[in-house]
Every structure is written in structure tokens, then in C-alpha cells.
Amino acid sequence: GCTGKMGKALVHAILASDDMVLTAASVSPRTPLNVDVGTLVGAAPLDLLPVHDLSTVAHEWEVLIDFTRPDA
């Protein structure tokens, strides 16, 4: 998810990009859903809340970068 080492790096890379927009981000079931994704990754708030299940927001993105591990 977006709070792991690679997830944070991906979020920061997307935020620094001129041609990408972060529209969804997942977190582990242990992470609360009421904290802004930007805050979770140490960036400015993005007005974006995380989800536990990306299938609930699949209509919001064109490309999915998945760095999750089932055994994490």
C-alpha cells in the first residue's frame, strides 16, 4: 500500500510528475481510512482518502501500479 517504503516512493514520484495524477491509493487493513493520503506519506494533504480494496475505486484510474505483497 501507499504507506510502505515503495508505496511512499511511488506517491511522491506521481506527485512530482507533470503528466500523472494520483486518484486512488490503498493501505493495509491495519491503517485507518480517515487520514489523507498526502498526510500518510509525509506530503501536503491531497484531499484523497485511502481505501483497503482498490476494486471499490477501479473506475477512477486508467493505470494501476501494484507493489503490494499478499504476505505483508
Side-chain angles (χ1 to χ4, degrees), residues 3 16 19 21 23-24 27-28 32 38 42 50 53 55-56 65 69-71:
T3 60
D19 59 352
V21 176
T23 59
V27 291
S28 74
D53 180 358
S55 69
T56 63
I65 302 171
R69 288 184 10 203
D71 59 342

Side-chain angles (χ1 to χ4, degrees), residues 44-68:
L46 303 172
D47 196 27
L48 178 65
L49 294 176
V51 297
H52 288 151
D53 180 358
L54 283 173
S55 69
T56 63
V57 291
H59 63 282
E60 296 182 20
W61 38 266
E62 294 178 20
V63 175
L64 170 66
I65 302 171
D66 186 358
F67 268 86
T68 58

